[in-house]
Amino acid sequence: MGPFGARGRVTAISYHDTVNDLQDRAWSGKGPFTKAGWFALLEQAGHRPMLAVAEDALGAVCLLLEHGDKGLQSLTNWYAFSWPVLTFGEPDRARLLSALARDLAGQARRVALAKLHTADADLLVEAFRAAGWRVEAEAVDTNHHVLVPPAETGAFAAYLAARPGRLRTTLKRKAKKVEVALATRFCADDWSDYEAIYAESWKPAEGDPALLRRFAEAESAAGHYRFALARHDGRAVAAQFWSVEDGTAYIHKLAHRPDADHLSPGTTLTAALMEHVIDVDRVGEVDFGTGDDAYKRDWMDAARPLHSLIALRPADPRNWAALGKAAIRDLVRR
């Protein structure tokens, strides 16, 4: 017996209001935003989890949800690259997700899921529709990434040679104009420099800087932390926070001071970290997170869509206005 109840041939559904209930199982998932520690940070930051679990003798699936104004939604925030369906064991995911979708009809009138990779989005659309929900799904964001071929030596050199000519020219002209310092352990002074740079950058205000710092500290404790600062005449002008886990490097945050644009410090930092994660950490992939920013295409060769999904219970009168609008949209498409 574990916190999710007895396991048997019959599908069991359970709900939990704390991420602590995830701790006794080795849930599958790649990267920092699939780990119990990440969701625990969200809970500590004030999110209200509602974990939905379906299990049988072969394993379990878990949807990490939270309570929102209109129903249930993905337990996530803007720092996360994607949102996963967690799996334990070797279950029939489609069957368990269908059972979970049917049971969720008694828990909420609306379920909104975001940042879904295509495979998970397809499974969830099928599961909710089979359970009688009215489902709309669409690709709403882009995740840029690059695969790095394995090599004994010179992998970064080969990667750089394949970058656009203008990028390589910028590096040759500007790389020596700043001093680069790399770190694999969290340093409070470095982080203060990052926060000061970010505050002056072109970036929007941080959503939850305290949460981001706790995440960076946790990644450092796990040995995943990669950080770089660029200085010009002793002044910190650019900073980047990455992490490395399970053979993939994740680019979390980057910022530079606008008055340092002429130095291209961000380009120099990205190149320095790329060289480190490729030639030292020997990663096979670099993930540039969400957003279809043009500059990401200079560094990344591939892109994959991220989907959102909204499921509505047709029998609930509070959904009728939204269902009517959806029906009109369907007619227009036809």
Side-chain angles (χ1 to χ4, degrees):
M1 294 282 290
F4 296 120
R7 298 174 66 200
R9 293 182 179 179
V10 177
T11 300
I13 307 292
S14 57
Y15 299 98
H16 311 269
D17 61 5
T18 176
V19 176
N20 291 336
D21 286 350
L22 289 177
Q23 302 292 347
D24 77 327
R25 293 183 177 182
W27 296 93
S28 66
K30 179 183 177 183
F33 304 114
T34 67
K35 302 297 189 291
W38 164 249
F39 295 105
L41 286 176
L42 295 180
E43 184 175 353
Q44 293 163 15
H47 291 253
R48 299 182 296 146
M50 202 280 261
L51 314 183
V53 179
E55 62 183 310
D56 61 17
L58 298 178
V61 297
C62 176
L63 299 183
L64 293 110
L65 306 170
E66 67 174 325
H67 298 279
D69 293 338
K70 297 181 180 180
L72 294 171
Q73 61 196 33
S74 301
L75 177 59
T76 187
N77 77 351
W78 76 335
Y79 296 124
F81 292 6
S82 60
W83 180 85
V85 176
L86 294 187
T87 303
F88 172 76
E90 298 183 1
D92 181 337
R93 296 211 312 160
R95 191 182 73 80
L96 288 185
L97 286 173
S98 293
L100 199 52
R102 285 193 297 273
D103 202 80
L104 279 169
Q107 302 290 325
R109 69 180 178 92
R110 181 181 188 269
V111 177
L113 306 178
K115 300 184 179 182
L116 294 164
H117 285 297
T118 300
D120 281 346
D122 289 346
L123 273 175
L124 288 163
V125 167
E126 183 176 350
F128 276 92
R129 283 179 176 164
W133 296 74
R134 173 63 162 80
V135 181
E136 283 200 342
E138 60 180 332
V140 295
D141 208 342
T142 302
N143 167 229
H144 287 273
H145 64 113
V146 63
L147 298 178
V148 182
E152 292 298 321
T153 58
F156 173 73
Y159 163 81
L160 187 60
R163 296 308 98 207
R166 64 182 180 280
L167 176 61
R168 290 183 279 114
T169 298
T170 298
L171 281 171
K172 288 178 182 178
R173 292 176 50 238
K174 303 294 181 69
K176 295 182 180 180
K177 294 183 180 295
V178 295
E179 297 177 0
V180 174
L182 298 180
T184 58
R185 292 295 183 97
F186 182 90
C187 169
D189 289 341
D190 286 349
W191 198 256
S192 293
D193 282 333
Y194 158 74
E195 291 182 326
I197 292 166
Y198 192 96
E200 292 185 19
S201 74
W202 75 103
K203 299 277 188 172
E206 285 281 23
D208 190 340
L211 170 63
L212 182 65
R213 176 172 177 146
R214 289 195 296 271
F215 172 64
E217 290 170 338
E219 291 297 276
S220 177
H224 301 158
Y225 183 81
R226 304 293 182 267
F227 185 87
L229 270 177
R231 291 185 173 88
H232 178 68
D233 292 338
R235 175 177 177 247
V237 294
Q240 295 192 15
F241 164 41
W242 296 26
S243 68
V244 171
E245 184 176 350
D246 299 330
T248 298
Y250 299 88
I251 304 176
H252 298 287
K253 303 298 292 187
L254 67 171
H256 68 266
R257 299 183 193 273
D259 62 7
D261 280 350
H262 64 288
L263 301 171
S264 299
T267 300
T268 299
L269 280 191
T270 301
L273 280 163
M274 279 287 190
E275 183 173 12
H276 184 91
V277 300
I278 291 173
D279 284 351
V280 178
D281 295 315
R282 298 291 183 92
V283 301
E285 183 180 11
V286 181
D287 189 327
F288 218 141
T290 59
D292 199 21
D293 310 88
Y295 70 88
K296 293 182 179 181
R297 300 183 196 118
D298 289 342
W299 298 100
M300 307 285 118
D301 291 333
R304 51 199 166 199
L306 294 171
H307 305 264
S308 71
L309 176 160
I310 295 178
L312 301 173
R313 279 200 297 114
D316 194 307
R318 292 170 295 178
N319 290 334
W320 289 351
L323 289 167
K325 292 177 182 178
I328 292 172
R329 286 195 296 271
D330 285 347
L331 287 173
V332 171
R333 291 190 191 107
R334 296 193 189 107

